[in-house]
C-alpha cells in the first residue's frame, strides 16, 4: 500500500459525536478528577472456546475490581457476568492439533473441554497458580506448569503427574569417595557388600520406575549452586529446558524511599531498585534435561557469533587510559572486557515471563532468543539435540542498543521454519527462515509491524502496523509464504486484536483521542466492522473537545519530519499569543497517534489552556516509538540533546505558523518529559518563559540499570555520556522559572533525584525555583487531590510567567 504523504495539517477523524445538551463548563477540578466520570475502557478481550462469544473486562466505578462481560458478536448483546456465571466462564483457550480438545485457565486452575460434546473437566484444584497449558504433540496429554514445575495430564486415564522433579541440592545418595574411603573398601569386605547392596537397590528402583508409568519420575539433582528462572517443556514430553542463574548472585545496594503518611503513624522505609552500574544483571545459563534418558546437558553460549567481540572497545580504551593517567589502576583494571560476553534470555521469567523459548508444535525443534548483557546483540538459536549445542539462526546487532520491543518469534506450522521480528532494515519487519535456509522478509518499508499472530491454519500472519502513516495503526495481514501486505481494518486507532478460533473474524479494540478503547468485530479478511460496546459517559462526551491536528514540523538538524499534535482555537486571530509545549514521558513512547492517549488528563488540560488563550504543541521528539531504529538510537550517549533540538524546532514552527510570541512559550512534562523540561531550561536558558518538571530524572546515575545502561552504557565505563545527559550537570545555567513536582514514595524515579537538584540550586544561589512534594504518590499519581494540586500549580506557573505579555 502506498504511504500517505501529508503536506500540512491532518484533522482527526472518528471523534465522538457531541451531545445535544450543553455540558457544564470545563474546569481543572473536573479534568483532574477520578477518571470514572469519563467511562471505562474495554480491556483484555478474548474469544470463547467455541468462538460464539467474546469475553472482556471493565473496571468497576469507584473500585479497582474488573468485572467480566460476555458479548454475542452476532447480535451485539452484552451481559455482565455474576459470580456464578464467572465460575463457568471460559478463559483464553489453546487447542490440540486435531481440534478435539481445548484447554484454558480459570481462577488459576486448568480446565479441559471436549469440543465434540462440550464436556468440561477440571484438571487442577490447588492453591497454586497453574498456567501455560499446551497439548502434547500426540494429543494424548495436556501439559501445564505451576511456577517452574511442569505436569502432564493423561486425558484417557484422567491422571496428572509431574514430568520432572527438580531438586536444587546435591544428590544425597551420590556417594563421594576419597583416598581414605577407597582404602577402607579395599580392606573390608563387609563394607564392599553393603555398598553393593545399596547400588543394587538403587538400580532396581530405577528399573521399576522406568517400566511403570504410574510412578513419579526419578528426581534431577541439580546442585545447590543455581536457581531456576524459567522452564519450558517440549510438546513431545522428551525435553525440559531450564534457564538458570548463580544462587549467590547479589544485586547490590538498594536505595530506599520513605513513607511519611502511614496507617501506623510512623515513617516507614521501603527498599527500591538498584542504581545503574552498581551491579550488572545476573548472567543466565541454559540447561537441557533429557527426560527419557534422565540426563542433563549444559548449552554453552560461547559459540554464538560476535559473543567474544567487545562493541564498547573504543569507549573502554578511552576511559581506561584516563583512569590510568589519573593513577586509578584498580578502577582501570575493573573495566577490562570479558573474554566472552554474558547473556540473558529475552523475556525469561526474571524479565517478565515467557516468550524467549519456543518449541515447535511437534516438539522436534527448539528456538531460544538470547541477548548480550550489554544489549547490543540479539541471537535466535536453535538446539542441536544430538550435539547438545546452540546453532545460531539469526544475529541482530545494534551499535546503540537492541529494541526492548519487536522481539516476537516462533515456528510456522511446518515445525521447521522460524518466524521473527527484526529491526535490521531500520524498521521492525517480519521474517521467516527455514533452519537450513536463508531468511526471507515478509514485510518491508519505512513503517513498523508488531504483535504478529499466526492463524490456526498457518496461512496468514495478522499484525499491527502504521504503514499508512506513523500515527495511524490498523490490523494488516500477509501470507505466511509471502505475498501482499494488505490492510484489514480501517480504524486508524487500532490498539489490540484477537483472531477467532476458526480464523474467520477479528475482535478489535480501537479508540480515538476522545473515545476510550471499544470492542468491534469484523471479518478477518476485511469488511464492515460491527461495534459491540459503548462505555463512554455523557458527562464526558457532551463536551465539544478540541480535535488535535497532526502536523509535520521540519527538523533543522537533518532529522526529517517531527510529528506533533497541535491544539488551537477553531478560529485563530492574527494576534500574538502564548504557547505551551508538552513533552511526553518514557522516552520510547509514541503519543502522536489517532488512539486514546495515556495522557488523557493532559489532553483535557490542553483544552483548558486553549480556552485561556494558549496554543499547545505535543511532539514525538527523537527517541519516540513508531519511527524506526534511527529515530530511537539518536539519543545514544547523549540523552536530552537531539530531543531539545526537536523541541526548539517545534517552538520555531509555532512562531512561524501560529504567530506565537517567542518570549511567551512554556514547557512541561512528566518522567522523561520532566527530564526534558529541566534540560530545556538548563541547556537553553531564555528559550522558555517557564517550565514544570514532573517526577523528573535529574541525574541518570541514580536511575535503573536495564533502561539506562542500554542508552548511556555503564557510568563507570562511559562517565562522559552521563555528565552531558544529566540536568544536574547544567544546574548553574538556571535562569528561567522552574517548578519541580515529585511523589515522595516514587520507587521508579526516586524523589532524591529532585531533592539533590533542588539542593544544588540552593548552593548556587538561584532564584525562581520551587518544589512540590506529594507524600502519598508514586511515579504514576493515583489520587485526584494530588492530580488537581499538581496541575493547579502548573496552571498558575504559566499564568504568571508565560501568558502575560512581557
Amino acid at each position: 500500500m502506498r504511504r500517505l504523504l501529508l503536506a500540512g495539517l491532518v484533522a482527526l477523524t472518528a471523534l465522538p459525536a457531541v451531545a445535544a445538551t450543553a455540558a457544564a463548563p470545563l474546569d481543572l477540578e473536573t479534568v483532574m478528577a477520578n477518571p470514572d466520570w469519563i467511562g471505562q475502557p474495554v480491556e483484555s478481550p478474548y474469544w470463547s472456546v467455541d468462538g460464539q462469544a467474546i469475553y472482556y473486562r471493565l473496571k468497576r466505578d469507584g473500585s479497582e475490581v474488573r468485572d467480566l462481560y460476555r458479548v454475542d458478536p452476532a447480535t451485539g448483546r452484552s451481559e455482565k457476568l455474576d459470580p456464578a456465571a464467572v465460575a463457568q466462564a471460559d478463559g483464553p483457550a489453546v487447542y490440540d492439533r486435531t481440534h478435539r480438545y481445548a484447554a484454558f485457565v480459570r481462577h488459576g486452575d486448568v480446565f479441559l473441554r471436549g469440543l465434540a460434546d462440550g464436556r468440561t473437566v477440571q484438571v487442577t484444584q490447588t492453591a497454586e497458580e497453574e498456567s501455560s497449558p499446551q497439548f502434547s504433540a500426540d494429543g494424548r496429554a495436556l501439559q501445564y506448569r505451576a511456577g517452574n514445575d511442569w505436569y502432564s495430564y493423561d486425558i484417557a486415564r484422567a491422571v496428572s503427574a509431574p514430568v520432572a522433579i527438580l531438586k536444587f541440592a546435591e544428590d544425597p545418595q551420590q556417594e563421594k569417595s576419597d583416598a581414605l574411603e577407597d582404602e577402607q573398601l579395599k580392606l573390608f569386605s563387609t563394607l564392599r557388600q553393603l555398598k553393593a547392596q545399596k547400588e543394587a537397590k538403587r538400580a532396581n528402583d530405577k528399573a521399576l520406575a522406568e517400566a511403570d508409568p504410574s510412578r513419579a519420575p526419578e528426581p534431577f539433582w541439580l546442585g545447590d549452586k543455581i536457581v531456576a528462572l524459567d522452564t519450558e517443556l517440549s510438546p513431545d514430553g522428551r525435553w525440559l529446558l531450564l534457564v538458570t542463574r548463580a544462587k549467590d548472585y547479589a544485586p547490590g545496594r538498594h536505595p530506599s524511599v520513605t513513607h511519611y503518611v502511614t496507617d501506623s503513624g510512623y515513617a516507614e522505609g521501603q527498599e527500591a531498585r538498584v542504581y545503574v552500574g552498581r551491579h550488572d544483571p545476573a548472567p543466565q545459563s541454559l540447561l537441557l534435561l533429557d527426560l527419557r534418558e534422565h540426563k542433563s546437558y549444559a548449552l554453552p553460549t560461547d559459540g554464538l557469533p560476535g559473543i567474544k567481540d567487545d562493541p564498547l572497545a573504543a569507549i573502554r580504551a578511552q576511559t581506561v587510559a584516563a583512569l590510568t593517567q589519573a593513577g586509578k589502576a584498580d578502577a582501570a583494571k575493573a573495566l577490562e572486557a570479558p573474554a566472552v560476553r554474558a547473556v540473558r534470555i529475552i523475556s525469561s521469567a526474571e524479565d517478565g515471563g515467557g516468550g524467549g523459548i519456543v518449541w515447535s508444535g511437534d516438539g522436534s525443534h527448539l528456538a531460544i532468543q538470547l541477548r548480550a548483557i550489554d544489549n547490543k546483540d540479539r541471537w535466535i538459536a536453535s538446539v542441536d539435540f544430538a550435539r547438545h549445542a546452540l546453532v545460531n539462526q539469526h544475529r541482530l546487532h545494534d551499535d546503540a542498543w537492541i529494541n526492548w520491543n519487536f522481539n516476537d518469534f516462533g515456528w510456522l506450522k511446518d515445525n521447521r521454519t522460524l518466524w521473527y521480528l527484526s529491526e535490521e532494515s531500520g524498521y521492525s519487519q517480519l521474517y521467516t527462515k527455514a533452519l537450513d535456509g536463508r531468511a526471507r522478509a515478509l514485510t518491508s518499508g519505512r513503517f513498523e509491524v508488531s504483535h504478529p499472530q499466526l492463524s490456526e491454519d498457518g496461512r496468514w500472519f495478522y499484525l499491527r502496523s502504521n504503514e499508512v502513516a506513523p500515527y495511524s495503526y490498523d490490523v494488516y495481514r500477509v501470507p505466511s509464504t509471502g505475498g501482499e501486505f494488505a490492510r484489514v481494518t480501517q480504524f486508524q486507532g487500532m490498539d489490540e486484536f484477537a483472531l477467532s478460533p476458526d480464523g474467520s473474524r477479528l475482535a478489535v479494540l480501537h479508540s480515538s483521542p476522545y473515545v476510550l478503547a471499544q470492542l468491534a468485530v469484523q471479518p478477518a479478511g476485511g469488511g464492515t466492522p460491527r461495534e459491540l460496546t459503548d462505555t463512554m459517559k455523557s458527562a464526558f462526551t457532551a463536551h465539544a473537545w478540541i480535535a488535535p491536528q497532526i502536523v509535520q514540523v521540519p527538523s533543522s538538524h537533518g532529522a526529517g519530519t517531527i510529528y506533533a499534535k497541535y491544539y488551537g482555537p477553531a478560529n485563530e486571530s492574527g494576534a500574538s499569543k502564548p504557547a505551551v509545549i508538552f513533552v511526553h514521558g518514557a522516552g520510547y513512547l509514541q503519543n502522536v497517534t489517532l488512539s486514546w492517549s495515556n495522557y488523557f488528563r493532559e489532553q483535557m488540560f490542553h483544552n483548558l489552556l486553549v480556552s485561556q488563550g494558549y496554543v499547545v504543541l505535543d511532539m514525538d521528539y527523537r527517541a519516540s516509538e513508531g519511527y524506526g531504529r534511527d529515530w530511537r538510537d539518536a539519543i545514544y550517549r547523549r540523552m536530552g540533546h537531539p530531543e531539545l533540538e526537536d523541541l526548539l524546532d517545534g517552538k520555531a514552527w509555532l512562531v512561524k505558523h501560529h504567530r506565537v510570541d517567542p518570549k511567551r512559550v512554556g514547557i512541561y512534562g512528566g518522567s522523561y518529559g520532566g527530564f526534558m523540561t529541566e534540560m530545556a531550561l538548563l541547556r537553553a536558558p531564555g528559550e522558555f518563559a517557564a517550565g514544570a518538571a514532573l517526577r523528573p530524572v535529574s541525574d541518570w546515575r541514580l536511575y535503573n540499570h536495564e533502561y539506562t545502561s542500554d542508552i548511556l552504557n555503564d557510568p563507570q565505563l562511559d562517565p562522559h555520556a552521563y555528565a552531558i545527559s544529566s540536568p544536574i550537570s547544567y544546574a548553574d545555567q538556571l535562569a528561567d522559572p522552574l517548578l519541580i513536582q515529585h511523589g515522595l514514595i516514587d520507587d521508579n524515579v526516586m524523589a532524591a533525584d529532585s531533592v539533590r537538584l533542588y539542593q544544588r540550586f540552593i548552593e548556587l544561589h538561584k532564584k525562581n525555583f520551587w518544589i512540590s512534594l506529594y507524600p502519598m504518590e508514586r511515579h504514576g499519581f493515583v489520587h485526584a487531590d494530588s492530580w488537581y494540586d499538581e496541575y493547579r500549580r502548573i496552571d498558575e506557573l504559566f499564568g504568571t510567567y508565560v501568558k502575560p505579555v512581557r
Side-chain angles (χ1 to χ4, degrees), residues 257-577:
V257 297
T258 301
H259 298 242
Y260 291 98
V261 181
T262 63
D263 292 338
S264 69
Y266 291 87
E268 299 172 2
Q270 173 207 333
E271 208 173 63
R273 47 81 187 146
V274 177
Y275 293 156
V276 58
R278 295 300 172 181
H279 205 298
D280 285 348
Q284 297 173 356
S285 299
L286 296 169
L287 194 62
L288 184 66
L289 305 187
D290 186 335
L291 304 185
R292 188 175 68 193
E293 301 296 330
H294 200 79
K295 295 180 179 179
S296 62
Y297 306 93
L299 294 178
T301 59
D302 56 3
L304 294 171
I307 192 70
K308 297 178 182 178
D309 298 342
D310 180 13
L312 295 166
I315 298 171
R316 191 182 308 277
Q318 184 178 14
T319 304
V320 166
L323 289 171
T324 302
Q325 186 175 6
K328 299 179 179 180
D330 289 344
K333 185 173 180 57
L335 293 181
E336 290 181 358
V340 179
R341 285 186 286 163
V343 301
R344 289 165 69 84
I345 311 305
I346 287 186
S347 297
S348 71
E350 200 168 64
D351 296 324
I357 303 165
V358 181
W359 289 94
S360 62
D362 62 1
S364 62
H365 294 292
L366 168 62
I368 307 168
Q369 194 166 190
L370 311 98
R371 61 179 175 185
I373 287 284
D374 57 37
N375 207 19
K376 299 186 187 304
D377 280 282
R378 183 199 79 180
W379 298 271
I380 298 175
S382 59
V383 174
D384 184 326
F385 295 108
R387 296 190 300 115
H388 314 116
L390 296 177
V391 179
N392 182 64
Q393 296 295 334
H394 179 258
R395 177 192 178 193
L396 178 64
H397 176 80
D398 194 313
D399 288 339
W401 75 95
I402 299 296
N403 200 332
W404 305 290
N405 301 333
F406 310 135
N407 292 306
D408 306 61
F409 77 120
W411 295 94
L412 295 186
K413 298 296 183 178
D414 65 5
N415 296 305
R416 64 180 183 274
T417 304
L418 283 163
W419 63 262
Y420 57 89
L421 294 181
S422 174
E423 272 191 324
E424 60 200 71
S425 71
Y427 293 83
S428 173
Q429 301 295 333
L430 179 65
Y431 298 81
T432 58
K433 182 187 182 300
L435 292 180
D436 56 355
R438 303 185 61 170
R440 175 183 185 182
L442 297 189
T443 64
S444 62
R446 296 174 61 84
F447 55 86
E448 310 275 31
V449 303
S450 63
H451 300 84
Q453 291 185 27
L454 183 62
S455 62
E456 189 65 25
D457 60 12
R459 294 178 55 205
W460 299 97
F461 276 106
Y462 291 82
L463 309 105
R464 182 175 189 255
S465 179
N466 59 353
E467 193 263 355
V468 168
Y471 48 80
S472 177
Y473 285 89
D474 268 297
V475 180
Y476 290 71
R477 75 174 186 176
V478 63
S480 60
T481 54
E484 181 188 5
F485 183 59
R487 186 177 179 182
V488 174
T489 66
Q490 305 289 328
F491 293 110
Q492 301 184 80
M494 191 286 298
D495 304 311
E496 187 180 335
F497 68 94
L499 195 61
S500 65
D502 65 0
S504 66
R505 292 167 294 169
L506 288 169
V508 183
L509 280 187
H510 64 96
S511 63
S512 62
Y514 296 104
V515 177
L516 290 159
Q518 303 297 325
L519 181 63
V521 65
Q522 76 161 64
T528 303
R530 180 189 185 103
E531 297 296 338
L532 299 177
T533 61
D534 180 5
T535 62
M536 301 299 297
K537 293 183 179 177
S538 59
F540 181 82
T541 59
H543 286 281
W545 299 105
I546 298 168
Q549 295 175 309
I550 293 185
V551 300
Q552 297 183 31
V553 176
S555 167
S556 63
H557 297 83
T561 298
I562 311 159
Y563 285 88
K565 290 191 288 192
Y566 173 76
Y567 298 81
N571 300 305
E572 292 195 24
S573 67
S576 178
K577 58 181 72 69

Side-chain angles (χ1 to χ4, degrees), residues 216-286:
E218 181 183 359
F220 279 90
W221 296 95
L222 302 174
D224 58 1
K225 301 295 190 293
I226 59 173
V227 295
L229 303 176
D230 196 9
T231 58
E232 295 294 338
L233 176 66
S234 65
D236 63 5
R238 168 73 186 274
W239 305 94
L240 185 69
L241 184 75
L242 274 69
V243 181
T244 71
R245 68 160 171 82
K247 185 178 181 179
D248 61 0
Y249 167 78
R253 179 181 174 183
H254 291 267
S256 62
V257 297
T258 301
H259 298 242
Y260 291 98
V261 181
T262 63
D263 292 338
S264 69
Y266 291 87
E268 299 172 2
Q270 173 207 333
E271 208 173 63
R273 47 81 187 146
V274 177
Y275 293 156
V276 58
R278 295 300 172 181
H279 205 298
D280 285 348
Q284 297 173 356
S285 299
L286 296 169

Side-chain angles (χ1 to χ4, degrees), residues 620-682:
D620 271 349
Y621 50 84
R622 273 174 285 176
S624 298
E625 184 179 10
Y627 303 91
R629 179 192 62 211
D630 292 347
W631 197 258
R632 169 177 60 83
D633 283 1
I635 64 169
Y636 178 55
R637 301 188 67 218
R638 55 181 192 138
M639 294 170 79
H641 293 252
E643 310 95 298
L644 180 54
E645 294 172 353
D646 296 346
L647 296 174
L648 291 174
D649 282 339
K651 176 188 171 182
W653 182 88
L654 287 170
V655 171
K656 179 178 180 179
H657 294 281
H658 292 278
R659 293 186 58 82
V660 164
D661 183 345
K663 301 290 187 183
R664 300 160 65 202
V665 179
I667 185 170
Y668 86 103
S671 192
Y672 202 98
F675 153 70
M676 278 311 306
T677 297
E678 290 182 347
M679 289 292 271
L681 265 63
L682 299 177

Side-chain angles (χ1 to χ4, degrees), residues 684-724:
E687 288 286 351
F688 296 96
L694 293 61
R695 52 197 183 277
V697 174
S698 300
D699 188 343
W700 285 108
R701 290 170 297 187
L702 272 61
Y703 199 53
N704 71 20
H705 187 92
E706 288 72 14
Y707 177 85
T708 320
S709 66
D710 283 355
I711 304 173
L712 299 179
N713 304 313
D714 277 4
Q716 298 91 333
L717 179 66
D718 204 351
H720 176 72
Y722 283 81
I724 67 170

Side-chain angles (χ1 to χ4, degrees), residues 711-760:
I711 304 173
L712 299 179
N713 304 313
D714 277 4
Q716 298 91 333
L717 179 66
D718 204 351
H720 176 72
Y722 283 81
I724 67 170
S725 300
S726 296
I728 200 167
S729 301
Y730 308 95
D732 61 326
Q733 298 187 48
L734 179 68
D736 307 300
L738 171 62
L739 170 63
I740 302 172
Q741 301 175 296
H742 218 124
L744 271 179
I745 57 173
D746 189 339
D747 52 4
N748 181 6
V749 180
M750 284 166 279
D753 243 275
S754 291
V755 172
R756 291 173 75 252
L757 181 62
Y758 194 79
Q759 176 64 22
R760 186 84 178 106

